[in-house]
Amino acid sequence: MPRPIQAFVHTDALRHNLTRMRTAAPDARVWAVVKANAYGHGIERVFEGLRGADGFALLDLDEAQRLRSLGWRGPVLLLEGVFEARDLELCSRLDLWHTVHCDEQIDMLSRHKTQVPHRIFLKMNSGMNRLGFTPTRFRSAWTRLNQLPQVDEISLITHFSDADGPRGIAEQIATFTKTTEDLPGERSTCNSAGLLRHAHDAAVAADWVRPGIALYGSAPDFPERNIAQWDLQPTMSLRSRLIGTQDLQAGDTVGYGSSFAADVSMRIGLVACGYADGYPRHCPTGTPVLVDGVRTRTLGRVSMDMIAVDLTPCDAAGHVAGFGSEVTLWGKASNGVVLPIDEVAQAAGTVGYELMCAVSSRVGFTQN
């Protein structure tokens, strides 16, 4: 029998979160962002829950091929565009829309031989300072693209750096709006934080919105707001079981480095989960966890294959947890109690994105 650790992907939660995104911008079309293998969930496992989207956005040609093989015939957008000239052949064959963010990509298009012109999303660097043409160069890039017979419709896209924080998006959206005000084409601006926090601004909602992390049940602005406040549901639950217990006396330590010492007599459980499964090694004592749906904490250092947890709250609740008891590392326990992935990520000093994407290949996945 394999180790008891397993990740569950919840199709109904994906549908719910997608509907929530539509509610936030009812007049916009929705890209479901499925980059990084659908944020670690698996494209094939999320497809049924997200197929109600208007299109899918991702990075890799391999992932685009997988979407097409699932029967998706709608729009697919390559968010970083092509990486070399021969990628354009596959864009033509798979009918992929793609982002253009630099002169080199325009050069590739100008040399590309195709019977069917490409649908392009021209990217502006409105302040993120990653990919895209600066406002002073954006219009000349649009003009050059517009003159190419290899190009059909040109849409306009940018990305917010601070939609989840106090700096906000006002400066970036003003730059984008001013630079593009008399250019034709559909617009796309909103990521998850922009959509949930700023979609009341018509210029922000635009024609296409592209939620990512919110689709997967993580709050884009945690801890200011949590998933309950945004009406989001967790789409991944990482669960394992207790494979042993120990009774500690005051002064006994736990695990490598003896970083935790009991100050009173207590009972602990050992969980079949560790950093080889993708659980962050740097999670400190006190990281939240559920044992049979009872909230408790981790103890000591995370090992490759095991985590120690405090069973005191279970005992106090009159529930005797032991060998085989369910442990929910994040997500939803079998009894419905939810431990948001954002809380675990916060304890680890990271974000929910990383935890989702880091679940290792030795963890079994189940879709439900």
Side-chain angles (χ1 to χ4, degrees), residues 199-222:
H200 55 276
D201 184 335
V204 175
D207 301 289
W208 287 90
V209 293
R210 48 182 200 276
I213 194 64
L215 289 175
Y216 303 98
S218 175
D221 55 354
F222 184 84

Side-chain angles (χ1 to χ4, degrees), residues 21-229:
M21 298 301 100
R22 287 200 182 281
T23 302
D27 297 325
R29 282 173 286 174
V30 178
W31 293 110
V33 179
V34 292
K35 63 180 180 176
N37 199 20
Y39 289 55
H41 291 62
I43 285 175
E44 290 76 10
R45 286 184 286 268
V46 304
F47 180 66
E48 188 60 36
L50 296 179
R51 68 185 308 164
D54 299 291
F56 287 91
L58 39 70
L59 304 184
D60 299 327
L61 286 166
D62 173 66
E63 293 181 346
Q65 286 182 300
R66 287 160 59 192
L67 267 174
R68 291 300 190 215
S69 70
L70 290 168
W72 178 254
R73 297 293 174 260
V76 176
L77 174 65
L78 298 176
L79 288 166
E80 292 180 357
V82 298
F83 302 105
E84 54 185 5
R86 65 179 181 177
D87 293 346
L88 291 170
E89 297 294 337
L90 199 55
C91 288
S92 295
R93 180 149 51 89
L94 295 176
D95 187 23
L96 306 180
W97 302 359
H98 51 102
T99 297
V100 167
H101 59 76
C102 62
D103 290 312
E104 290 81 358
Q105 290 175 327
I106 301 179
D107 293 339
M108 290 183 223
L109 270 166
S110 69
R111 297 188 294 265
H112 178 54
K113 293 180 174 58
T114 180
Q115 299 297 317
V116 180
H118 289 236
R119 173 73 178 268
I120 300 302
F121 276 67
L122 181 62
K123 186 161 191 175
M124 181 190 295
N125 171 15
S126 59
M128 184 79 160
N129 289 315
R130 295 193 311 186
L131 301 179
F133 292 93
T134 60
T136 56
R137 297 201 57 241
F138 188 80
R139 297 180 70 89
S140 62
W142 184 92
T143 299
R144 189 179 172 204
L145 278 173
N146 194 48
Q147 293 171 344
L148 294 180
Q150 294 91 339
V151 173
D152 184 13
E153 187 174 345
I154 303 173
S155 298
L156 314 175
I157 188 170
T158 195
H159 192 58
F160 299 133
S161 59
D162 293 275
D164 58 347
R167 185 177 178 183
I169 64 168
E171 184 175 345
Q172 281 190 262
I173 199 63
T175 298
F176 182 75
T177 301
K178 180 179 179 181
T179 306
T180 65
E181 60 184 350
D182 60 344
L183 292 178
E186 295 180 337
R187 271 74 167 157
S188 176
T189 58
C190 271
N191 56 2
S192 291
L195 178 56
L196 289 174
R197 293 169 62 98
H198 303 286
H200 55 276
D201 184 335
V204 175
D207 301 289
W208 287 90
V209 293
R210 48 182 200 276
I213 194 64
L215 289 175
Y216 303 98
S218 175
D221 55 354
F222 184 84
E224 182 179 343
R225 292 181 179 87
N226 58 39
I227 60 172
Q229 291 168 308

